[in-house]
Amino acid sequence: MSAIDKSQQNELVREQFTRTAQVFGDYAVAARVREAELLAGMVKAAAQDRVVDLAAGPGTLALRFARHVRRICALDLTPAILQRARNSAAVEKLANIDFVVGDAQSLPFADGALDIAVTSYSLHHISEPARVIGEMARVVRRGGRVGVIDIRVSEDSQSADIHDRIERLRDPSHTRSLSQNEFEVLFARNGLRLLAVERQEHLRPFDHWMLVAGSKPGDPRYEETRKLLESTMAGDLAGFNPRAVSDNGPAELQITNTVLFIAGEKN
Ligand SMILES: C[S@@+](CC[C@H](N)C(=O)[O-])C[C@H]1O[C@@H](n2cnc3c(N)ncnc32)[C@H](O)[C@@H]1O
C-alpha cells in the first residue's frame, strides 16, 4: 500500500474501533482470557520480561500478561479503545502497564530493547502485516520471543478472497487475513525460529459476531454480510462453515473462525 492508502487504512481502523470500543472491548477482554494465557505460555512470559502488546485494543493480552511480566506496553492506534484498557488496568490495580497511542508498523523501541512482542487479532487490520512482524522481530533481543494470535484463512486463494470480502463487508477496516503458511514464512524471514503453533476452531453465532463489529439485523452492513456469507454455504466456499443450528428454538446462523497461535524465538 502507498503512504496515502496507509493513512486511509489507519482512519478506517480508528473509526471502527472508536465506534465499537465498548461493545467489542467488553466481548474481547472477557472471552479471550484463556487465549491470552495460552499465548503467555507459548512465549514463556516470565517475571523479568519487558513486553509490548501491539494493537492492544481493550488490553486483551496486556491485562493478562501484566500478571506474569515486569512491564508491558499496550500500544494502539485508536485512543478510545486504549482508554478502555487504561480504565480496566486501574480497576484491576495493574500498575505495570504503559499505554501508548501509536502505529504497530513503526514501533517506538530501539533494536533488541524488549524480551517479548505479542499481538492478537490485529494483522488483518493492517496495511503491511509483514512490516509488523519485522518490527516485532526487530524490537526483541536475541533469544526474545514473538507471539501472534490471528484468524487464519485457507491456503486456497479463492477461498481466502471470498473470506476477506465477507470480513470487509462486516468491518470496512479489515484488510486481508493470512494463511498459516504465510505466517510461518514471515516468521522464518525475520529470523524467528518456531517454538509452537496451535490452531483452534471458535464457534460464533452470526448475530453476535456482527454485533461486536457494530451492526445488527436490519442494518445494511448486517444484511449484505449475511447475504454474501449465505451464498457460500454450499461447499463452504469461504471457510466459515456457516450453518443453521437449532436448540429446539428457532434456528440460529453460526460460523467458525479458525484461529492460529504462533510463537517464535529470535535467532
Ligand atoms: C480486532 S482489535 C484486537 C484488539 C486486541 N488485540 C484483542 O485481541 O482483542 C484490532 C485492534 O488493532 C488496532 N490497530 C489496527 N491497526 C493498527 C496499527 N497499524 N497500529 C496499532 N494498532 C492498530 C485497532 O485500533 C484495534 O484496537
Side-chain angles (χ1 to χ4, degrees):
M1 271 195 186
S2 69
I4 288 176
D5 288 341
K6 196 194 291 179
S7 77
Q8 283 170 343
Q9 174 58 26
N10 286 355
E11 207 33 61
L12 285 174
V13 163
R14 280 196 207 95
E15 205 177 296
Q16 175 68 15
F17 289 99
T18 299
R19 207 164 62 83
T20 61
Q22 194 65 40
V23 67
F24 171 77
D26 289 351
Y27 157 72
V29 169
R32 295 178 176 163
V33 169
R34 273 198 286 186
E35 294 178 52
E37 293 293 342
L38 173 60
L39 192 69
M42 288 170 72
V43 296
K44 302 187 249 180
Q48 284 314 306
D49 287 335
R50 295 148 304 165
V51 185
V52 61
D53 171 14
L54 45 101
T60 309
L61 296 182
L63 294 168
R64 302 308 310 175
F65 272 68
R67 293 160 159 90
H68 300 286
V69 303
R70 175 160 51 146
R71 202 143 196 101
I72 182 160
C73 171
L75 176 141
D76 200 281
L77 204 55
T78 310
I81 201 161
L82 201 58
Q83 184 57 43
R84 198 196 174 287
R86 202 181 270 117
N87 296 345
S88 300
V91 169
E92 296 177 35
K93 300 195 178 1
L94 296 167
N96 60 341
I97 311 181
D98 302 308
F99 299 90
V100 172
V101 174
D103 191 333
Q105 293 161 107
S106 170
L107 294 177
F109 299 103
D111 297 0
L114 302 177
D115 302 290
I116 297 176
V118 288
T119 191
S120 58
Y121 297 95
S122 63
L123 294 176
H124 61 264
H125 291 286
I126 288 180
S127 46
E128 291 187 70
R131 188 149 158 205
V132 175
I133 302 284
E135 279 292 89
M136 294 172 88
R138 179 184 69 75
V139 299
V140 298
R141 62 172 169 81
R142 287 178 73 154
R145 282 85 64 207
V146 168
V148 175
I149 305 176
D150 211 342
I151 307 289
R152 167 230 81 131
V153 286
S154 162
E155 304 295 340
D156 176 88
S157 63
Q158 271 187 334
S159 166
D161 282 352
I162 310 179
H163 184 107
D164 286 330
R165 277 175 51 209
I166 293 168
E167 285 276 18
R168 275 195 294 273
L169 278 179
R170 170 182 177 251
D171 168 357
S173 74
H174 179 92
T175 51
R176 184 172 86 78
S177 294
L178 303 177
S179 72
Q180 181 164 343
N181 185 53
E182 287 179 293
F183 277 109
E184 291 183 5
V185 166
L186 283 178
F187 268 56
R189 262 196 214 142
N190 286 286
L192 300 168
R193 179 180 66 81
L194 284 191
L195 290 172
V197 181
E198 289 210 23
R199 230 153 78 177
Q200 293 182 353
E201 304 286 319
H202 294 176
L203 302 187
R204 304 284 303 270
F206 177 78
D207 281 7
H208 187 259
W209 186 59
M210 293 303 296
L211 184 75
V212 299
S215 64
K216 53 184 191 323
D219 294 345
R221 196 186 276 186
Y222 174 100
E223 299 301 336
E224 281 165 36
T225 309
R226 184 166 182 137
K227 193 165 155 210
L228 184 57
L229 177 73
E230 285 180 340
S231 78
T232 69
M233 269 171 125
D236 189 18
L237 302 180
F240 278 110
N241 189 22
R243 64 224 169 271
V245 177
S246 171
D247 252 346
N248 292 327
E252 173 187 70
L253 182 60
Q254 289 193 356
I255 61 149
T256 300
N257 277 147
T258 305
V259 178
L260 190 73
F261 295 69
I262 180 164
E265 184 173 87
K266 183 164 166 181
N267 293 321

